[in-house]
Amino acid sequence: MLFDELATATRAVASTSKRSEKVATLAAVLRRVAPQEVAPAVAFAMGASPAGRIGVGWATLADVRPDPALHPSLEIADVDRAIRDIAVVTGDGSVARRRAILDRLLATATEPEQHLIRGILGGEHRQGALDGVMAAAVAKAADVSVAEVQRGAMLAGSLLIAAGAALADGSAGLASIELSPARPVQPMLAAPAPNVTAALALTGPASVEWKLDGARLQAHRADGQVRLFTRNLNEVTDRLGGVVELVSSLPGGDLILDGEVLGFDDDGAPRRFQDTMGDFGADAMSPRSVTAASRGDALRAFFFDVLHADRPVLDAPLADRREILAGIVPEVNRLPSIITADPAEAERFLDAAIDRGHEGVMVKDLAAPYDAGRRGGAWRKVKPVHTLDLVVIAAEWGHGRRQGWLSNLHLAARGGEGEWVMVGKTFKGLTDELLRWQTDRFVQLRIGAGSGRDRHVVHLRPEQVVEVAIDGVQASTRYPGGVALRFARVRRYRHDKSATEADTIERVQSLLR
């Protein structure tokens, strides 16, 4: 299929807010895609690439701008091949070689094709074809149910694989995808809840578990061999010898366990997320790095669910899976939890988790199966959300869908003697209305112009206060205040506050555990 057909379809999808129209447009394209082009077509329509991270930044995309071709000639396979060629370029001169491949690709592409390619490579192709819409489009194109596609994607660990099976063999192809130890599956996800009372109102009697600020880990054991995978399904077996040792020692046969790895200080306090992730480096290679608490190691594994225990059990209710897990994993390597429907008891359990330095709690419906790859209502996460009033000291011109708007905000706290201390950036939480407003506003506050690598940055008079929500802060050598915001997103602009009323750097630093 010509890549132009896909580019035209994605523009049509971007132009409508109606989910049914998005699904119908994408399904019409998928019906005409050749079998070997299904995976790249699905990935491209979602603004991604089957090749994963490409290594092309915004600066390269901004500089490489050949005139578009007048007539389409690229096929989907051509674009997939070129992007894969870019992804594997390494070593001396790699930047120049990537630019040369990109230049040839874009010079062969029409204007709509160039727009889609830039969106894929720059990560800015947001036209509404997210997993849910694409799963529905695959289902419509293959004449199967959405639930079949979602289950196939979960078990295969990839919507691309499920799409290929569905379009090739329909329901039979999807049914052939089975849960298999040693093949990672997409993890079940949680939706937020404002408090435990609201969470329990949705779940009823629930398992309330500590929510750790660790790294999600999926442990597989097949024929005695252990493999470990991250939340993103990247394999980390060779980095966590202690977890391998632990999982190898558990009773039974083939296993799939879901859990987290968390670091601890010498005094037993949980380490920050960034420190735990740092332990995935050279130190985590040691066989003693993750094991039972009694050994006093830097990292520990905690498991909270089981998907396979000699047989698939993910369709069993959580109450049953808890019992299976308790019969396999020792208590010291299971998350602390209680079963309750009482908000007061759950609140006390939450307070205890916070007092121990953890993020909060998870509230999980005891009757629910393991709905992998879905962010449904069966799991609810409850954790304190911090807000800060900060000042915008700069903003970056957007690209892709946000081209022409000032988007990424540079956020600063109030320092001493009129100084502003940068603590992070964010483009999260910005609606189209806010993007339009802040672009007009920031043009008025502009001071000077960027140059060189900073030419996309607009520096501002420190006057505009914005309220941001954050999950916390972490230590940072990147910013002069020694802290950086975690998961910052814009809540609202504080037109009622002057910059002198913004939060101080000391206030931000106080959130560092």
Side-chain angles (χ1 to χ4, degrees), residues 82-427:
I83 290 178
R84 289 181 184 277
D85 287 344
I86 293 172
V88 299
V89 172
T90 58
D92 294 341
S94 59
V95 173
R97 295 201 300 277
R98 288 194 194 103
R99 289 171 65 98
I101 299 171
L102 178 61
D103 185 74
R104 289 195 299 271
L105 175 61
L106 292 177
T108 316
T110 62
E111 188 279 327
E113 291 173 324
Q114 284 191 354
H115 180 79
L116 179 54
I117 291 167
R118 291 180 184 280
I120 292 166
L121 295 178
E124 288 286 340
H125 180 58
R126 301 184 181 92
Q127 37 80 353
L130 300 177
D131 283 9
V133 171
M134 184 55 72
V138 170
K140 187 176 182 69
D143 195 23
V144 298
S145 71
V146 176
E148 288 177 284
V149 174
Q150 291 172 331
R151 184 175 179 82
M154 175 269 290
L155 295 177
S158 168
L159 178 56
L160 309 189
I161 295 175
L167 291 168
D169 298 308
S171 294
L174 291 169
S176 69
I177 303 175
E178 298 179 344
L179 182 67
S180 175
R183 184 174 66 193
V185 299
Q186 296 173 356
M188 186 169 178
L189 304 174
N195 50 60
V196 291
T197 300
L200 288 171
L202 295 166
T203 64
S207 172
V208 183
E209 306 166 2
W210 283 4
K211 186 179 188 310
L212 309 185
D213 192 16
R216 190 82 173 259
L217 190 75
Q218 196 173 110
H220 292 241
R221 188 175 69 190
D223 297 325
Q225 298 298 310
V226 174
R227 298 180 68 186
L228 307 173
F229 301 91
T230 67
R231 175 191 178 102
N232 295 325
L233 311 188
N234 298 316
E235 186 165 2
V236 290
T237 307
D238 61 347
R239 302 185 188 183
L240 295 169
V243 176
V244 173
E245 180 183 324
L246 170 63
V247 176
S248 295
S249 71
L250 299 176
D254 291 353
L255 281 174
I256 303 178
L257 303 173
D258 195 1
E260 295 216 9
V261 168
L262 182 65
F264 287 84
D265 293 332
D266 292 339
D267 61 0
R271 302 181 72 191
R272 296 184 294 268
F273 175 77
Q274 66 186 109
D275 297 325
T276 293
M277 294 306 294
D279 286 338
F280 271 78
D283 290 344
M285 300 285 284
S286 166
R288 65 180 293 278
S289 59
V290 184
T291 185
S294 60
R295 294 179 59 181
D297 296 315
L299 289 176
R300 286 174 56 192
F302 294 88
F303 295 108
F304 51 75
D305 216 325
V306 55
L307 287 68
H308 192 286
D310 290 325
R311 60 183 176 83
V313 296
L314 74 171
D315 290 327
L318 175 60
D320 293 349
R321 301 199 310 275
R322 280 174 53 94
E323 292 185 9
I324 296 170
L325 184 71
I328 297 171
V329 179
E331 184 177 5
V332 72
N333 288 109
R334 298 198 310 268
L335 277 183
S337 66
I338 59 172
I339 292 178
T340 186
D342 181 2
E345 184 180 14
E347 190 70 38
R348 290 192 295 271
F349 192 74
L350 168 64
D351 291 342
I354 298 297
D355 289 344
R356 294 289 295 270
H358 300 296
E359 277 197 314
V361 294
M362 299 285 290
V363 179
K364 300 179 179 179
D365 186 345
L366 287 168
Y370 190 96
D371 201 0
R374 302 288 302 279
R375 192 185 298 278
W379 287 11
R380 296 284 171 168
K381 55 185 175 183
V382 181
K383 58 182 181 178
V385 175
H386 306 283
T387 62
L388 293 169
D389 291 331
L390 302 172
V391 170
V392 184
I393 58 172
E396 300 173 14
W397 288 108
H399 50 281
R401 180 183 173 278
R402 294 188 175 188
Q403 188 168 359
W405 285 340
L406 284 169
S407 176
N408 203 15
L409 309 180
H410 294 207
L411 304 169
R414 183 160 48 92
E417 300 180 358
E419 294 180 340
W420 296 98
V421 184
M422 188 170 174
V423 291
K425 302 180 183 180
T426 190
F427 56 83

Side-chain angles (χ1 to χ4, degrees), residues 6-19:
L6 185 63
T8 300
T10 60
R11 282 201 165 181
V13 169
S15 69
T16 181
S17 60
K18 295 182 178 179
R19 190 177 190 274

